[in-house]
């Protein structure tokens, strides 16, 4: 009995040593990108952090690239042969997709990421204009890795209501939702930094090539009822001058503090889908160079002008969604729920571009700061 206990303890101690040895040699991925070359092979670029040892005080970061038939082939077979130790994906913070890859079936491209249990599903997802690997190769900002830098940029844009909080976890069900198309943040490289460039419009799990600018993205998120912690809208609310020259005093900046949204979807007698979207918002003045906000009539005039400007933009966004055939507002889901019989007979591919959107956005200024 004593020999049996000693043998069991010995096995536990030895297995523990092997486990610690694996962790010591583990090569951790902090950011990954997927591109496609001219041969239609998957090109994966990763930034890897090796743990520090006795001879070095800080972890070592390096960028590696490899190509393969699939993501798993490029990552574990090709990149795995370039490093001394097993690859660990549990610390991956961002997954970037090049434009060429994003125009393929995203569910197929990311299949291994969704299927493998050790891939962190909270990793941020974004499409990159051009080659996604270019952002992975950016020099680190301070002591941050490329993954930390890109994650913070995406998180900040989500905080400011420019993009939704998109992760692998949230993207997966959207790609399999027949009643709604997802939108995915877009990044672009500008000299030595990454810039949030709006939202990519998706249809049938593919990037359509159409996108919304950051200004349009903010309005789209409000139309979708998805306001972040901060939402500052700045618009030129003065009529065009004779010299057609904008002045700083022509702009009004409002921080939207309250949002009420009402969406109605119905099918009229002619069989056309009708959408009525009414938005009521309250905002605080952040910047307005003309100090005449104590006048109630002036405030009412600003409310009307600002509302007209963003209402026109919102209706333009709906037309852009229809042009891309991207049902990013989930109109199909409402038709499925309230008109199931009509839905079964309907060809949504042809009906959605013909749907009639009517958007109304009303803004009420409720505070103009400490300046009277």
């Amino acid at each position: 009995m004593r020999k049996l206990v000693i043998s069991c303890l010995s096995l536990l101690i030895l297995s523990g040593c092997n486990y610690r040895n694996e962790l010591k040699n583990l090569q951790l991925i902090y950011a990954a990108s997927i591109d496609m070359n001219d041969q239609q092979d998957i090109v994966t670029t990763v930034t890897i952090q090796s743990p520090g040892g006795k001879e070095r005080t800080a972890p070592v970061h390096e960028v590696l690239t490899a190509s393969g038939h699939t993501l798993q082939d490029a990552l574990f077979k090709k990149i795995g042969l370039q490093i001394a130790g097993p690859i660990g994906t549990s610390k991956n913070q961002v997954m970037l997709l090049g434009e060429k890859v994003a125009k393929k079936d995203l569910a197929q491209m990311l299949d291994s990421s969704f299927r493998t249990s050790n891939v962190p599903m909270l990793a941020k997802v974004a499409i990159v204009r051009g080659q996604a690997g270019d952002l992975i190769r950016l020099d680190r900002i301070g002591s941050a890795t490329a993954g930390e830098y890109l994650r913070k940029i995406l998180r900040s844009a989500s905080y400011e209501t420019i993009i939704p909080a998109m992760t692998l976890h949230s993207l997966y069900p959207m790609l399999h939702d027949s009643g709604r198309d997802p939108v995915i943040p877009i990044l672009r490289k500008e000299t030595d930094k990454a810039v949030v460039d709006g939202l990519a419009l998706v249809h049938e799990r593919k990037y359509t090539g159409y996108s919304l600018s950051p200004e349009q993205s903010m309005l789209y998120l409000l139309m979708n009822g998805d306001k972040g912690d901060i939402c500052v809208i700045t618009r030129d609310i003065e009529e065009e001058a004779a010299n057609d020259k904008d002045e700083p005093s022509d702009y009004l900046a409002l921080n939207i503090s309250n949002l009420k949204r009402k969406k109605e979807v119905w099918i009229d007698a002619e069989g056309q889908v009708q959408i009525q979207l009414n938005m009521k918002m309250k905002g605080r003045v952040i910047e307005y160079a003309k100090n005449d906000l104590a006048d109630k009539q002036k405030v009412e005039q600003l409310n009307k002008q600002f509302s007209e400007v963003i209402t026109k933009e919102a209706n333009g966004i709906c037309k852009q969604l229809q042009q891309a055939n991207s049902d990013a507002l989930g109109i199909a889901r409402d038709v499925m729920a309230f008109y199931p019989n009509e839905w079964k007979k309907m060809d949504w591919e042809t009906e959605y571009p013909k749907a009639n959107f009517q958007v109304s956005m009303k803004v009420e200024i409720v505070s103009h700061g400490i300046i009277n």
Side-chain angles (χ1 to χ4, degrees):
M1 183 68 181
R2 184 179 178 184
K3 290 182 179 180
L4 179 61
V5 172
I6 293 173
S7 299
C8 291
L9 289 173
S10 300
L11 288 172
L12 288 172
I13 293 171
L14 288 173
S15 63
C17 291
N18 289 335
Y19 177 68
R20 287 194 296 271
N21 187 51
E22 274 192 27
L23 287 179
K24 180 180 179 181
N25 296 321
L26 199 62
Q27 308 294 302
L28 297 172
I29 293 176
Y30 275 73
S33 68
I34 309 174
D35 290 300
M36 184 173 286
N37 60 22
D38 295 335
Q39 289 72 42
Q40 304 301 304
D41 289 330
I42 296 297
V43 179
T44 303
T45 304
V46 298
T47 175
I48 289 183
Q49 174 177 310
S50 302
K54 294 180 180 179
E55 65 281 357
R56 57 179 185 265
T57 58
V60 174
H61 303 273
E62 59 180 328
V63 176
L64 299 173
T65 301
S67 61
H69 299 298
T70 65
L71 175 59
Q72 285 289 91
D73 183 37
L75 181 58
F76 288 97
K77 288 187 178 180
K78 303 296 177 62
I79 290 182
L81 296 176
Q82 301 179 39
I83 58 177
I87 293 177
T89 59
S90 61
K91 295 294 185 180
N92 188 23
Q93 297 175 328
V94 293
M95 176 67 77
L96 303 182
L97 306 165
E99 277 185 299
K100 192 173 181 180
V101 164
K103 291 179 180 179
K104 303 291 183 179
D105 190 320
L106 292 170
Q108 292 181 4
M109 287 294 172
L110 295 172
D111 179 78
S112 63
S113 298
F114 297 138
R115 194 179 296 274
T116 307
S117 61
N118 61 349
V119 173
M121 294 299 286
L122 295 181
K124 302 288 186 183
V125 180
I127 293 172
V128 179
R129 297 198 186 277
Q131 296 293 313
D134 292 342
L135 292 188
I136 302 295
R137 298 185 187 92
L138 285 174
D139 291 334
R140 297 192 304 275
I141 306 301
S143 60
T145 64
E148 291 171 341
Y149 167 61
L150 294 168
R151 178 180 61 84
K152 288 177 180 179
I153 285 178
L154 292 170
R155 187 173 63 180
S156 176
S158 174
Y159 180 82
E160 296 178 5
T161 320
I162 298 175
I163 60 173
M166 179 66 65
T167 63
L168 284 171
H169 180 270
S170 60
L171 177 61
Y172 179 79
M174 292 181 185
L175 293 176
H176 295 84
D177 188 348
S178 58
R180 187 188 192 95
D181 288 315
V183 292
I184 301 177
I186 294 185
L187 298 174
R188 61 180 169 86
K189 183 182 177 184
E190 189 174 289
T191 58
D192 60 345
K193 62 180 180 293
V195 177
V196 176
D197 206 26
L199 291 173
L201 302 181
V202 176
H203 177 58
E204 292 186 337
R205 309 195 303 196
K206 300 176 184 178
Y207 171 39
T208 61
Y210 293 91
S211 61
L212 301 178
S213 69
E215 292 78 14
Q216 291 176 316
S217 299
M218 185 175 290
L219 282 185
Y220 158 75
L221 290 175
L222 292 177
M223 292 162 62
N224 200 38
D226 190 11
K227 188 182 83 69
D229 293 83
I230 295 176
C231 181
V232 177
I233 305 177
T234 303
R235 292 294 185 272
D236 182 352
I237 47 86
E238 298 294 336
E239 295 183 2
E240 294 184 3
N243 56 5
D244 197 23
K245 196 173 183 180
D246 288 337
E247 297 292 340
S249 59
D250 295 339
Y251 289 83
L252 171 63
L254 291 181
N255 183 19
I256 304 302
S257 56
N258 183 271
L259 173 67
K260 289 185 178 180
R261 171 179 177 267
K262 183 179 180 181
K263 182 175 73 168
E264 294 183 17
V265 178
W266 72 94
I267 299 178
D268 63 17
E270 287 74 31
Q272 186 179 22
V273 178
Q274 303 284 338
I275 303 101
Q276 180 72 50
L277 186 59
N278 295 322
M279 310 286 298
K280 292 184 179 180
M281 296 171 282
K282 294 182 179 181
R284 296 182 293 108
V285 176
I286 300 298
E287 186 175 22
Y288 185 58
K290 297 177 180 179
N291 297 324
D292 50 1
L293 295 178
D295 185 347
K296 290 185 179 180
Q297 289 186 346
K298 179 61 177 179
V299 172
E300 288 297 325
Q301 182 184 353
L302 291 176
N303 288 339
K304 181 181 178 182
Q305 290 175 314
F306 202 92
S307 299
E308 289 175 351
V309 169
I310 62 174
T311 294
K312 183 179 179 180
E313 291 182 17
N315 282 284
I317 289 171
C318 292
K319 291 180 180 179
Q320 198 165 338
L321 293 177
Q322 289 180 289
Q323 188 177 7
N325 213 351
S326 178
D327 187 6
L329 291 171
I331 307 303
R333 189 180 294 170
D334 294 297
V335 177
M336 288 178 192
F338 298 107
Y339 298 91
N341 295 328
E342 290 83 348
W343 172 259
K344 292 176 183 177
K345 304 173 185 177
M346 190 177 293
D347 181 6
W348 192 240
E349 292 291 315
T350 58
E351 291 298 327
Y352 175 68
K354 297 186 296 184
N356 182 30
F357 280 89
Q358 297 178 25
V359 183
S360 173
M361 306 190 87
K362 293 185 179 180
V363 177
E364 178 186 358
I365 296 174
V366 294
S367 171
H368 47 76
I370 61 175
I371 300 178
N372 292 324

